[in-house]
Amino acid sequence: QVQLVESGGGLVQAGGSLRLSCAASGLTFRGYRMGWFRQAPGKEREFVTTISQSGGSTYYADSVKGRFTISRDNAKNTVYLQMNSLKPEDTAVYYCAANWGGAGTAIKDYDYWGRGTQVTVSS
């Protein structure tokens, strides 16, 4: 059974930082592209960032470029999201997802999803 479990969310002031983690089990982690998505209240889920299977290639949404960094540790079956210079508009539930073979920015490309972790940025 595949499980993706996010952690590290919380309440932070604008300008602060958080590091999210996503621990994967039940799948061959190194074979999957991993991604982070987010969903704010009343809005659709949106792409944040993705990382290739080896970790050598990353891609970011314009809204987080230069502030967020995705990384992965294939030995630990874990993907991370370092979020710096947080803004109130970053407030959302953050989801990690695993993708076997897709391009990586569309929700439909992802095969497995975690339950999400709440990030709240106060102004």
Side-chain angles (χ1 to χ4, degrees):
Q1 180 181 359
V2 175
Q3 283 194 313
L4 301 177
V5 180
E6 302 95 336
S7 61
L11 174 64
V12 63
Q13 288 189 331
S17 298
L18 282 175
R19 189 193 195 203
L20 306 184
S21 299
C22 172
S25 61
L27 76 172
T28 307
F29 183 74
R30 63 182 181 275
Y32 284 79
R33 167 180 290 277
M34 298 299 295
W36 287 96
F37 291 75
R38 67 186 182 186
Q39 188 166 15
K43 295 188 176 181
E44 294 186 351
R45 192 169 300 189
E46 65 176 4
F47 168 78
V48 176
T49 180
T50 185
I51 188 167
S52 63
Q53 288 85 337
S54 68
S57 175
T58 58
Y59 184 76
Y60 297 89
D62 287 344
S63 58
V64 306
K65 200 172 295 183
R67 300 187 298 121
F68 290 11
T69 303
I70 189 172
S71 61
R72 66 189 294 162
D73 185 339
N74 285 347
K76 295 183 178 180
N77 287 1
T78 302
V79 61
Y80 304 97
L81 182 63
Q82 178 67 43
M83 305 186 294
N84 298 330
S85 302
L86 282 160
K87 305 175 181 180
E89 51 263 44
D90 294 318
T91 295
V93 177
Y94 284 71
Y95 299 89
C96 75
N99 168 4
W100 183 270
T105 61
I107 291 173
K108 66 177 178 61
D109 290 336
Y110 287 80
D111 306 292
Y112 301 106
W113 292 81
R115 292 188 175 185
T117 185
Q118 176 71 47
V119 171
T120 303
V121 184
S122 63
S123 57

